[in-house]
Amino acid sequence: MKTVAIFTMGCRANQADSAILEGMLAREGWRLVDTKEPADAYILNTCTVTNNADQEARYLIRRLHRQNPEACILVTGCSAQVNPKALAGVEGVAFVVGNTQKKSILDLLKQSKPLVPEIMVEDIFQEEAIFSSDFSSYSKNTRALLKIQDGCNQMCSYCVIPFARGKNRSLLPQLVMDELHRLSEIGYYEAVLTGIHIGTYGRDLSPQTDLLALMKRIEDEVPIHRVRLSSIDPEEVTEEMIEFLSGSKIFCAHLHIPVQSGEDQILKLMRRRYTAQEFLDLGVKLKEKIPGVCLGTDIMPGFPYENEERFEKSYRLMQESPLDYLHVFPYSAKEKTRAANFQDQVSQAQKRERVSKMTALSKEKRNQFYESQKGSIQEIILEEKAMHFPEHFSDKIRGVSRNFISVYVVANEDLKGKLVSCKITGYEGDYVFGEII
């Protein structure tokens, strides 16, 4: 039996694609192993959202090649789609496969390792289908990822992802429901609806539909115990959706709503479709309407023309907002995007300073949220034994609550993937602990 290891970088959509590949390979008799083990083949599913991600992909290729020089290394994903020649030039690469050709990976691995790297990349904007199958049952996660949408039509000025993922396309509602039922049947309690821009779900379908209609159907049919949205833009969280979420028994009280900046002029330059005040008002409304909801965002300091005054406005908005955590990453100029040609670029030193300040704010907000949840009763799905944590966590297993708290509890490992109720008893730094009840 041949062995294969898959290394996944980047977003949940990429993780979902890797789960599809795992399923395809397992059905054909491949044995899946850890990326740190010797393997006959390595698949690197790349990200290209930042320049650091591209650099990391090249570093990982070199590491895998040193680990096993005879292995077939296949590079796919977003960096492969956008930068195929650069990746093909890294020693050890056998195949570079774009996002349009992921369905061909199994056939490629059956071939002999080529003498020179083969590049299989086509025009992503011609892609009409969504890479999907009955895949989630092969995911290593105890919470399944279900990709319901791919691509993005928005063309934000900083973002290269449309060039990596193509135009918006959606999975048919019935296929979504079928997969949710299947996931429940094989023992999953939670599915995460993911994609590149899930707020646009259904606009490309005939008849046209939308994300809220899909959510209502899930609520009515109850195909699985609980469902989480991965990420949704501010303007797509409508009054009707808030009302729906406030009374939902299926959908988790957790929303990740990317803002990118809290300053109006920067938002215009980014080609975002809301104002800073609208984002702030939305957060306040969500906290008022949905009990215990956890709110997160993406924030990108260092965008061109972000002077000190504009950064401070953005920082103050993040302070004032009822957010519970921030994903902070510096702006990275990407080829093909409009913002890469903007004149007033921010220095790396300023970016590091601003990222540090936002990161400290995120930690402060997360601790405030943990404090607010002390004493609450949470339903958690047990996921994994605590590893590489302080010694007094060594007997604990991590579980994830509906409102996205990672809780460490004392439990038997055979309970992995099971639902339990626990009481939040406290937190220590980044770690929340509780007691099963």
Side-chain angles (χ1 to χ4, degrees), residues 87-126:
L87 292 171
V90 182
E91 185 180 4
V93 172
F95 300 101
V96 178
V97 181
N99 281 325
T100 59
Q101 297 296 309
K102 281 181 174 175
K103 54 188 174 291
S104 306
I105 286 176
L106 186 60
D107 291 333
L108 291 174
L109 293 182
K110 292 177 182 178
Q111 300 177 17
S112 300
K113 185 178 174 181
L115 295 176
V116 295
E118 292 186 12
I119 297 177
M120 296 183 62
V121 177
E122 296 181 359
D123 183 0
I124 192 70
F125 291 104
Q126 299 302 313

Side-chain angles (χ1 to χ4, degrees), residues 67 84 124 141 159 170 184 189 194 209 304 362 367 379 385 415:
Q67 186 170 302
I124 192 70
N141 299 322
C159 187
S170 308
S184 182
Y189 289 100
T194 191
T209 185
S362 177
N367 285 344
E379 174 196 83
K385 188 170 176 60
L415 289 176

Side-chain angles (χ1 to χ4, degrees), residues 9-10 21 77 144 217 233 280 306 323 348 375 409 413:
M9 302 172 62
L21 293 172
R217 181 172 175 182
D233 280 358
L280 180 61
E306 185 192 66
L323 290 164
Q348 293 300 320
V409 296
E413 284 193 74

Side-chain angles (χ1 to χ4, degrees), residues 390-411:
E391 187 176 338
H392 51 288
F393 278 80
S394 60
D395 62 339
K396 293 178 172 60
I397 292 181
R398 181 171 69 96
V400 178
S401 70
R402 283 178 174 265
N403 60 350
F404 204 52
I405 302 174
S406 290
V407 188
Y408 292 87
V409 296
V410 177

